[in-house]
Amino acid sequence: MSAIRYLGHAGFTVEHNGTRLLMDPWFFPAFLGSWFPYPDNRHLLPDVVEGRWDYLYVSHAHEDHYDEKLLAGLDRSITVLVAKYRSKVMVKHFRALGFENVIALEHKESLELAPGFTVTVYLDTSHKEDSGLLVDVDGYRFLDLNDCNTAMSELPTDIDLLAAQFSGAMWYPNCYDYPPAMMAEKVAGVRDDLMDTLYRKAKLTGARTYLPSAGPACFLDPDLAEYNDRDSTIFPVWDQVADGFATACPEIEVLRLGPGDSIEVDPAAKTATARRLPGSKLDEDLDAYRERRRAEWEEFHEGPEPAVTMDEVEAYFSTLQRWNKRFLGDFSKDIRLITGTTNWDVRLGRLAEHFVIEGEEPYDPDYTLLVPPRVLRAIVDGKTGWEEALLSMRLGLHREPDVFDLTFMGLLRYGNHPAQTMQMLRERQNTETIERDGLRLQRFCPHAGEDLSFADIGGGRIECPRHHWIWDARTGKCVDKASIDLRVEVLDENSPVLVAEKTRDQEPG
């Protein structure tokens, strides 16, 4: 008999014939003290810290998976399993913590942990640097994708239990200053897209059972309480999306577990039986939770507001651009930083000369970022990155025009790891094509590298199945969400996808 125990969020333990694997344990606040596990799982902390673990797997560097405070309390003799990323960030992190036995696994590389107990890593092979883990215990296949988007053409099949994200884990659109009606429309669109991606993963993997996991988090700092509104944000709870999943995937059983609940697996019979922990819960009284963790969320606000100088901002952006010179090419962008009562206009890219100007507004900025002084101080000091700052939901954003800029956001999110921005550049330059539906088009999405063999093509449009960028099927021009054109060549003028386009264009109005 084998056992899988749920730790909450994206955390699990797997035990098989005495060998124990710990996966993505998260207990302490993440992203500048903003994210907390939901429901509260702190009652499981002693079991994890004091437990005996043979292996530890951490999927990626986001703090709701790489919980450094928790990891620092674990036995350093544990063998650590990580994905082999271009940036080597996970190996570096664990070496710095004092773990000596760190094994970095390539995409689809397997490792036998014990007889009948094998794990295989599946990467998001784009610039994103995320991974999932396939755990095989005597033929019972548990795929933990957490929030990883492995290319759909690369997903494993014949999965008994799938754990994957259904709720959002992004600052868009809720941190932008959209009017209420537009915000509601964008939130609904993101939620629909997230669920569509989940449906595809569940069907492509042949999952027999799905376990909702990897979110949502909750926000205990009163300054961020608005993001706990499950109706107006991209952070729904399962009850709000369960009916849609049941309609789209009626053949897949849904298994809901609370932190501490477990599954007893009989590999021979291919069966799994849920075991509920006494007092197990699927939701949380946020007011009581907030009081229990008051010292932790208040820590962000301790001490006087720090000062950040113009020279520090200029030096920071100068270094960031120097590290990413090839990636930026002839890119140019005007942004405005508003921190406290101070505004800075920053001109990024090849046209930048004296690109930080304090107290003047000579440019109409393309992006405006409202960054609290505490957050900007942490970024400038290298204590956090823009990715983590954005995920904290402590920033406000405005863009004009309202178009996603992949280069700018790539610079902010991945600029501290040039291996990732260089991979973004390689993805743009990829020339591989596919032919389908009377079209020849580039195979991989220019946004995040999804295989467009799985794209939806019809009605004159091409839609990426991952982030749902949409292009004109005839020209490859951006139609919705997309900000980079797609290479497309029409091979058959009578293709149904183009006929549908003509028919629609000819309709009255």
Side-chain angles (χ1 to χ4, degrees):
M1 200 66 94
S2 305
I4 300 170
R5 192 183 193 193
Y6 184 48
L7 299 178
H9 201 63
F12 293 91
T13 69
V14 182
E15 184 169 357
H16 181 64
N17 293 336
T19 298
R20 306 185 76 204
L21 166 66
L22 175 63
M23 303 166 60
D24 272 355
W26 176 44
F27 290 91
F28 295 103
F31 308 123
L32 299 168
S34 62
W35 289 35
F36 286 76
Y38 180 89
D40 188 2
N41 63 351
R42 196 66 64 88
H43 58 288
L44 301 175
L45 183 60
D47 292 351
V48 171
V49 174
E50 298 167 11
R52 178 194 63 80
W53 306 106
D54 300 290
Y55 295 92
L56 165 67
Y57 163 73
V58 176
S59 59
H60 61 293
H62 280 172
E63 295 168 8
D64 57 323
H65 300 261
Y66 178 82
D67 183 346
E68 189 164 289
K69 184 174 181 179
L70 175 280
L71 297 172
L74 297 182
D75 187 338
R76 297 302 191 274
S77 67
I78 299 172
T79 298
V80 178
L81 310 178
V82 297
K84 191 171 185 178
Y85 295 129
R86 297 174 186 88
S87 69
K88 301 180 176 61
V89 62
M90 298 305 294
V91 173
K92 293 175 183 176
H93 279 338
F94 279 103
R95 295 287 190 207
L97 284 178
F99 288 89
E100 295 185 358
N101 192 5
V102 182
I103 300 175
L105 298 172
E106 302 266 11
H107 177 48
K108 292 187 176 182
E109 184 177 356
S110 299
L111 180 69
E112 185 179 66
L113 308 187
F117 191 176
T118 301
V119 297
T120 306
V121 166
Y122 282 82
L123 274 71
D124 177 342
T125 53
S126 75
H127 59 274
K128 292 293 187 77
E129 295 203 340
D130 201 348
S131 72
L133 194 70
L134 173 62
V135 181
D136 189 310
V137 286
D138 282 340
Y140 185 90
R141 291 160 65 80
F142 166 41
L143 177 62
D144 173 29
L145 282 179
N146 58 84
D147 47 3
C148 175
N149 283 305
T150 297
M152 293 183 182
S153 58
E154 299 285 313
L155 287 169
T157 57
D158 193 29
I159 298 302
D160 295 293
L161 176 64
L162 169 67
Q165 178 187 56
F166 69 91
S167 192
M170 181 59 65
W171 54 91
Y172 175 86
N174 287 111
C175 280
Y176 284 80
D177 60 347
Y178 295 121
M182 183 179 293
M183 178 67 79
E185 180 182 348
K186 289 182 178 291
V187 165
V190 170
R191 287 167 66 142
D192 287 347
D193 290 348
L194 285 167
M195 291 306 295
D196 180 77
T197 300
L198 173 61
Y199 304 155
R200 293 170 187 265
K201 291 176 180 177
K203 292 175 181 178
L204 287 168
T205 57
R208 284 172 274 282
T209 303
Y210 168 65
L211 195 164
S213 63
C218 65
F219 303 86
L220 300 185
D221 187 336
D223 287 354
L224 304 172
E226 65 184 288
Y227 300 117
N228 294 319
D229 185 333
R230 304 304 187 186
D231 296 317
S232 62
T233 67
I234 64 165
F235 309 118
V237 292
W238 179 251
D239 286 344
Q240 294 174 296
V241 298
D243 288 346
F245 186 89
T247 299
C249 305
E251 71 286 358
I252 301 176
E253 178 187 1
V254 175
L255 177 63
R256 296 197 65 190
L257 298 181
D261 293 343
S262 60
I263 307 167
E264 289 185 1
V265 176
D266 183 344
K270 285 273 189 176
T271 59
T273 305
R275 303 297 183 194
R276 309 288 178 182
L277 190 73
S280 170
K281 55 186 178 181
L282 301 174
D283 55 12
E284 188 65 66
D285 179 339
L286 287 182
D287 290 335
Y289 193 7
R290 180 176 292 111
E291 284 306 308
R292 292 198 299 274
R293 301 288 173 259
R294 174 176 288 274
E296 294 178 28
W297 59 258
E298 281 188 338
E299 185 177 346
F300 173 78
H301 301 281
E302 290 177 354
E305 286 280 5
V308 182
T309 68
M310 176 185 69
D311 289 343
E312 288 177 303
V313 173
E314 182 169 0
Y316 171 83
F317 279 106
S318 178
T319 299
L320 195 65
Q321 292 186 106
R322 187 170 64 254
W323 287 351
N324 296 276
K325 194 171 183 178
R326 286 185 60 195
F327 169 67
L328 292 175
D330 60 358
F331 168 80
S332 181
K333 178 74 66 178
D334 293 327
I335 68 170
R336 179 166 297 152
L337 290 179
I338 300 176
T339 180
T341 59
T342 303
N343 293 4
W344 285 297
D345 285 302
V346 180
R347 173 162 284 182
L348 299 173
R350 67 178 182 84
L351 299 179
E353 295 176 0
H354 303 294
F355 54 82
V356 178
I357 301 161
E358 185 177 26
E360 301 180 23
E361 297 184 0
Y363 316 122
D364 291 326
D366 302 294
Y367 269 78
T368 299
L369 296 90
L370 284 71
V371 188
R374 295 179 192 278
V375 177
L376 188 58
R377 179 78 268 163
I379 292 171
V380 168
D381 288 347
K383 295 179 179 179
T384 196
W386 283 102
E387 172 94 342
E388 293 73 23
L390 289 161
L391 285 167
S392 78
M393 310 298 283
R394 296 187 184 278
L395 275 61
L397 298 100
H398 175 82
R399 60 191 184 193
E400 190 63 43
D402 183 25
V403 176
F404 175 72
D405 188 315
L406 183 60
T407 300
F408 172 59
M409 295 308 294
L411 177 68
L412 291 189
R413 295 174 65 183
Y414 312 119
N416 288 330
H417 300 286
Q420 289 180 258
T421 56
M422 288 307 299
Q423 176 59 22
M424 292 179 71
L425 189 60
R426 285 190 288 270
E427 288 166 8
R428 293 184 193 178
Q429 296 170 343
N430 188 291
T431 59
E432 188 172 349
T433 61
I434 56 172
E435 294 183 12
R436 51 170 295 198
D437 298 287
L439 305 174
R440 179 182 291 123
L441 63 150
Q442 64 185 79
R443 179 176 178 181
F444 298 104
C445 175
H447 174 211
E450 182 55 74
D451 190 339
L452 295 181
S453 300
F454 293 84
D456 287 335
I457 303 180
R461 296 183 172 197
I462 301 169
E463 180 174 348
C464 176
R466 184 188 298 192
H467 294 104
H468 302 276
W469 281 25
I470 299 174
W471 299 271
D472 184 286
R474 180 180 293 277
T475 66
K477 295 294 184 184
C478 304
V479 173
D480 186 28
K481 302 183 182 73
S483 57
I484 299 176
D485 291 345
L486 194 71
R487 295 192 302 277
V488 178
E489 178 186 355
V490 176
L491 301 178
D492 180 5
E493 285 289 345
N494 294 316
S495 169
V497 299
L498 301 177
V499 172
E501 177 187 37
K502 292 176 182 177
T503 301
R504 186 178 60 187
D505 290 346
Q506 292 166 359
E507 290 176 352

